[in-house]
Amino acid sequence: MGSDANSLDFKCDWRYGFNVNPSEKGTVGYLLSWSGCGGLNLSKDIEVWNPFTGAGQTVIRGETVRCIGLIDDFKYQGGDTDPIRISCYISKGNQSNIRAKLAKPLTNTKVKMAWYIVSYDESAKQWYEAVKLVSPKVAQTNVNSAEGEMQIFMDKDPEKLSETLDINVYRFEFELIPQEKKKVRVQYATGPTKRVVRQWGE
């Protein structure tokens, strides 16, 4: 079981990730892929500018990032089988698909997915990879349940991206546990040289 000493909570600046404040630096997370729950395949319909420039980026390349959503919060208690809880902001199209799927009870909870978080170290003046899947590059997971309720939630009401931009996004939150016998190695970092790789799953 996880302990508080091992727990991780990456709070991401999703508005910055959508390029609302390009002059700032922050922690930015991306939901890169999601397929499962019996046919719920979310599309990479968001393209944003990649703030990580220069060497050291291994998961994505280029000036822009194509993703399903921008992560708002990533929580993990640190144990091999502890859940990972992610909230993120996604498009209207994906929101509609998720709401249609959640209108009926989920019969299939398996999800293949990938996520990625980058951050900026002010003292070193450099970007680094804060959370990335080492192997495999896509995790095989299950949507977790707590007290009989599946931990997957899709907001009905939109959130405006900013005062000046007439763009709506929708908050999507879910909690995952590793599938049986499907181990994932995940790297976590709190700075350019402070890295640890942990196994998720058993």
Side-chain angles (χ1 to χ4, degrees):
M1 290 300 292
S3 70
D4 287 342
N6 287 328
S7 69
L8 295 162
D9 187 357
F10 289 87
K11 293 200 183 314
C12 300
D13 187 344
W14 61 273
R15 282 194 163 88
Y16 169 67
F18 274 111
N19 314 338
V20 177
N21 307 313
S23 60
E24 294 174 11
K25 304 275 197 297
T27 301
V28 189
Y30 307 95
L31 182 59
L32 293 178
S33 66
W34 169 294
S35 64
C37 293
L40 181 61
N41 300 320
L42 302 183
S43 55
K44 292 188 179 189
D45 57 4
I46 289 171
E47 187 168 6
V48 288
W49 154 81
N50 182 3
F52 192 152
T53 50
Q57 193 164 38
T58 61
V59 175
I60 50 181
R61 291 266 188 277
E63 298 292 308
T64 59
V65 183
R66 286 187 69 84
C67 60
I68 293 163
L70 273 287
I71 294 172
D72 171 42
D73 199 19
F74 177 100
K75 283 190 176 74
Y76 170 50
Q77 283 175 341
D80 285 2
T81 57
D82 281 343
I84 286 175
R85 193 172 187 98
I86 296 174
S87 61
C88 59
Y89 284 89
I90 62 172
S91 71
K92 175 66 179 168
N94 278 328
Q95 184 251 13
S96 300
N97 289 342
I98 295 164
R99 279 177 59 80
K101 182 53 121 181
L102 297 183
K104 298 187 191 120
L106 279 188
T107 52
N108 184 334
T109 61
K110 290 185 175 180
V111 179
K112 285 186 180 176
M113 61 161 307
W115 60 86
Y116 179 56
I117 299 175
V118 299
S119 194
Y120 187 76
D121 186 300
E122 279 294 344
S123 54
K125 296 283 184 267
Q126 74 182 84
W127 287 92
Y128 62 92
E129 295 179 319
V131 185
K132 71 171 184 178
L133 298 174
V134 178
S135 63
K137 302 293 186 193
V138 175
Q140 295 192 47
T141 72
N142 277 310
V143 178
N144 198 20
S145 67
E147 295 170 5
E149 185 178 15
M150 299 310 299
Q151 296 298 294
I152 178 168
F153 310 100
M154 184 67 251
D155 275 8
K156 181 164 59 76
D157 299 319
E159 180 92 31
K160 265 212 179 328
L161 206 50
S162 76
E163 302 281 313
T164 52
L165 291 170
D166 191 25
I167 298 172
N168 287 331
V169 287
Y170 297 81
R171 192 166 190 271
F172 177 38
E173 185 170 351
F174 50 88
E175 191 172 275
L176 306 165
I177 50 173
Q179 282 178 30
E180 199 175 339
K181 298 187 178 159
K182 300 290 184 187
K183 297 175 191 162
V184 192
R185 290 173 69 241
V186 188
Q187 179 182 291
Y188 300 97
T190 53
T193 57
K194 300 176 191 140
R195 290 189 290 272
V196 61
V197 173
R198 290 190 191 166
Q199 179 179 297
W200 190 50
E202 57 181 16

